[in-house]
Amino acid sequence: MTAILRHIIASLGLLLWAQQASAQPTQAPSAGIANTAPPINVLYPKDFEVYQPVTARDALERLPGLEIVDTDDVRGLGAGGNVLINGERSGGKSNTALSQLERLSAQAIVRVEIYAAATASFDAGGSSQVINVVIKVEEGSISGTYGGNMEISVRTGDFYGDANVSATWTKNKLTAELALASNGDKTPTFGDETFGRLGQPPSIFRDERRLSTFRDYQVNASLAYKFAPRDVLRLNVQGTRGNRDTFERTTDLVALDGFTAQDTLFETASEDTSFEGTLEYERAVGDDLQLKFTALQSLGRTRDDTTIRDFLSTDPVLQLGNANDEQESILRGRAVWQASKKHLLTFQLEGAFNKLDANLFFNEAAFDADLQPVRVPQNLNSNTIVQEYRGDASLTDQWSISKKVVLTTALAGEISNLEVSGSVNNSRVLRFPKPRIELAYQVYPKHRLEFSVERIIQQLDFFDFAASVSLEDADERGSTGELTPEREWRSNLTWEWQLPRRSGRSAITLYHNLVQDAIEPIPISDAFDETIDTIGNIGTGNRFGAVAEFSLRLKPYGLPDILLEGNVTLQRTRVEDPITGEKRRLRDERPFTYEFNYRHDITKWKVSYGASVSLNGPQTAFEINQTIEERRTFSGQAFIETQAIKGMTIGLRLINWRDRVEARDRVIFDPNRLAAGVPFLEARERTIGRYLRFSVDGIF
């Protein structure tokens, strides 16, 4: 850690010294090295200025036909999404391109270039597009953004507020940026539960009242020094500190001789602290070679304390504590070489170190929410340390066979040493190849067909190795040392259509994922020789489905200036259950999701209004002696906003207009799901409530 701080301080000194160099005219750099194909579309300020966007992100969201991916789910640094700023990736994992665009004025946009992913010299992070936002830099000026909102519960009157401000300064070859933010949340929820044997009248009725409050503070600082238009050194530092407190009172009516009331209090206090620092150096060597080196260090600390007690008593029945420390270090080198007019080669090396130190503590007697004793295995009072050293290498060739056909092939592989110590001890060396092939065919000028097959190695969730306890469900999970990353063979076939008159895009994707070593709960024996859950690999599963999406502006057809957007995903997953041997869905995978957005911009009045609706299908968790199915009613929002004051957007939004309900059915089997009598059913419904949000965003 000391060496990293010395490195960061030395880099700051270099940047401050370099700032004294002679002034050079500042120009928007080109979008990296030469592309194998021109952009499929270029948008200019005239395409979005009529909508009076405030930030650069506002401008992108007003434009139809853009597919924006802010992050991806691969290990390490990944691709970082599909949005670039002046041909450059965002620095770090937390400081994404969209968060940077929120801190830039829409007036700074020179143009927006849209490339087909298979024909651009950038990794699209799983998207079919690469979006490059070219920003002009104003020498010697300070510009920035500010914003704030207040959200009020319609039902209870509880409220909270957020605020943020950012400033960017450019002088000679140095650009400095500072962003501050405070985010909050105050969420009251109301619910009721019933308990009883399945098919019989409930024996317990529970009324819930919960209030969760959250507040965090974030600071993001970055420096960039351009030795030349395509020779740049960047430093980004981001820190976050947050607190969350939850207070829940439950009132149980127990059917014994009549009904007996019993009140229980749950109180949880959490504290999170995180830091991320990234140092990048990017340089063009001639017109055909681009080099980039990245170093990242992130640290995180979480502390949770939960207490259960009787409402009429000040003495705790149970106290549970979690103390977790996380660390990630990454070094990456990347070279992109235009070997010929038809071949673009990318070589990448990455080394990473990840660590989790997880601690679980009990104090006082162990009781569940109904004040019944819980048998706590000895290995749940535990300390688990997980460490992973990983090396990754890849070589990618993008071959432009013709003006219409591009073939991309990649040879890649990784090797890692995974060590688990503490409650359990294990050490393994894992090796995985990761090939990829992608074929893109420009069938017609506005129609593209893409097919890809690749192997993805998922990042392990290190918390799956550690023991855990759910006080809400009186459920425990043991430690494990034998866990292998999920591997997926992903096959995708996409047809994309750029709609006439530059009014938008539509796409249909068919996909199949072969999931190897799927990760789900499996049985183990605890210290009392009883069977409990832990997380393990259950075998091979399948995921297949279809995604349909569209984005359409009606104005080019002489209709009102309305933006319509939609996304529908339908999928089916199958895996063999380790307890029953039957085929079922993969854990927590939804069979469908729907999302539709409507926005009407009345530009002559500088007013916009709209609505959005979304619905997610049910998801089910399968454990040894229980299943938990969660469902939600559809979520709806409506808004109205005005840009009557130049450089400012004032808005009012109604959230959860239908008073969204979250339902959960927990079915408990004794002794397990294979051999059980009449199961026990716990049915719960919670109401989130309606909210009004008043917001102000502007630039200076």
Side-chain angles (χ1 to χ4, degrees), residues 318-322 358-366 375-384 422-424 466-469 476-479 527-528 532:
L318 172 64
Q319 290 179 313
L320 172 69
N322 291 276
N359 296 272
L360 180 65
F361 308 99
F362 279 97
N363 189 19
E364 304 293 339
R375 177 169 289 182
V376 181
Q378 293 175 358
N379 70 339
L380 288 180
N381 269 342
S382 67
N383 165 247
T384 302
S423 300
V424 294
S468 64
V469 171
E476 66 270 1
R477 179 168 290 163
S479 307
F528 300 103
I532 62 171

Side-chain angles (χ1 to χ4, degrees), residues 132-405:
N132 180 44
V133 184
V134 181
I135 300 292
K136 63 185 176 183
V137 181
E138 297 185 6
E139 177 68 28
S141 65
I142 297 179
S143 61
T145 64
Y146 62 88
N149 69 71
M150 178 173 290
E151 194 163 298
I152 303 171
S153 170
V154 175
R155 182 170 183 174
T156 67
D158 289 298
F159 64 91
Y160 71 92
D162 295 342
N164 63 82
V165 62
S166 67
T168 303
W169 173 72
T170 300
K171 182 67 174 178
N172 298 333
K173 300 180 180 181
L174 180 68
T175 299
E177 181 180 327
L178 177 66
L180 305 173
S182 175
N183 303 302
D185 185 24
K186 192 171 185 180
T187 307
T189 58
F190 305 86
D192 57 77
E193 286 184 282
T194 59
F195 304 82
R197 291 292 180 182
L198 193 65
Q200 299 178 11
S203 58
I204 300 177
F205 298 85
R206 170 175 293 172
D207 180 69
E208 294 183 349
R209 296 290 185 270
R210 172 182 292 201
L211 179 63
S212 177
T213 60
F214 167 74
R215 173 64 61 186
D216 76 5
Y217 302 91
Q218 299 178 2
V219 58
N220 188 296
S222 62
L223 292 171
Y225 182 76
K226 288 185 179 293
F227 301 95
R230 292 162 60 195
D231 190 353
V232 59
L233 181 67
R234 305 184 197 91
L235 174 67
N236 181 264
V237 177
Q238 179 169 309
T240 303
R241 185 178 181 86
N243 296 277
R244 180 181 293 277
D245 297 306
T246 301
F247 178 87
E248 179 179 340
R249 176 179 176 178
T250 65
T251 301
D252 292 349
L253 296 176
V254 184
L256 297 173
D257 296 327
F259 282 99
T260 302
Q262 177 177 286
D263 285 1
T264 307
L265 294 183
F266 292 76
E267 295 175 275
T268 301
S270 304
E271 182 178 288
D272 301 298
T273 305
S274 65
F275 164 84
E276 180 181 292
T278 307
L279 185 66
E280 296 181 329
Y281 177 65
E282 190 167 4
R283 179 175 182 177
V285 182
D287 294 330
D288 298 329
L289 180 63
Q290 186 88 7
L291 303 176
K292 184 175 181 179
F293 304 94
T294 304
L296 178 142
Q297 176 69 51
S298 67
L299 302 170
R301 170 170 291 184
T302 305
R303 299 291 184 267
D304 296 317
D305 293 297
T306 301
T307 300
I308 295 180
R309 60 185 175 89
D310 187 89
F311 182 70
L312 300 178
S313 172
T314 59
D315 296 325
V317 175
L318 172 64
Q319 290 179 313
L320 172 69
N322 291 276
N324 306 307
D325 293 284
E326 299 176 80
Q327 177 183 346
E328 182 175 33
S329 305
I330 299 176
L331 290 174
R332 173 192 276 186
R334 178 185 176 97
V336 183
W337 178 38
Q338 192 78 53
S340 67
K341 291 183 178 180
K342 291 184 175 293
H343 288 275
L344 182 73
L345 300 179
T346 301
F347 178 68
Q348 181 171 288
L349 286 173
E350 181 174 296
F353 170 72
N354 292 275
K355 181 180 179 180
L356 168 67
D357 187 347
N359 296 272
L360 180 65
F361 308 99
F362 279 97
N363 189 19
E364 304 293 339
F367 290 83
D368 66 12
D370 300 316
L371 305 185
Q372 299 300 315
V374 176
R375 177 169 289 182
V376 181
Q378 293 175 358
N379 70 339
L380 288 180
N381 269 342
S382 67
N383 165 247
T384 302
I385 299 175
V386 187
Q387 297 184 130
E388 181 188 42
Y389 298 86
R390 179 176 56 84
D392 189 301
S394 65
L395 176 62
T396 304
D397 174 38
Q398 183 178 292
W399 177 21
S400 299
I401 300 175
S402 67
K403 291 183 178 181
K404 292 187 175 183
V405 181

Side-chain angles (χ1 to χ4, degrees), residues 2-16 235 279:
T2 304
I4 294 171
L5 290 175
R6 286 200 302 266
H7 195 47
I8 291 175
I9 293 171
S11 302
L12 284 169
L14 172 64
L15 290 171
L16 293 174
L235 174 67
L279 185 66

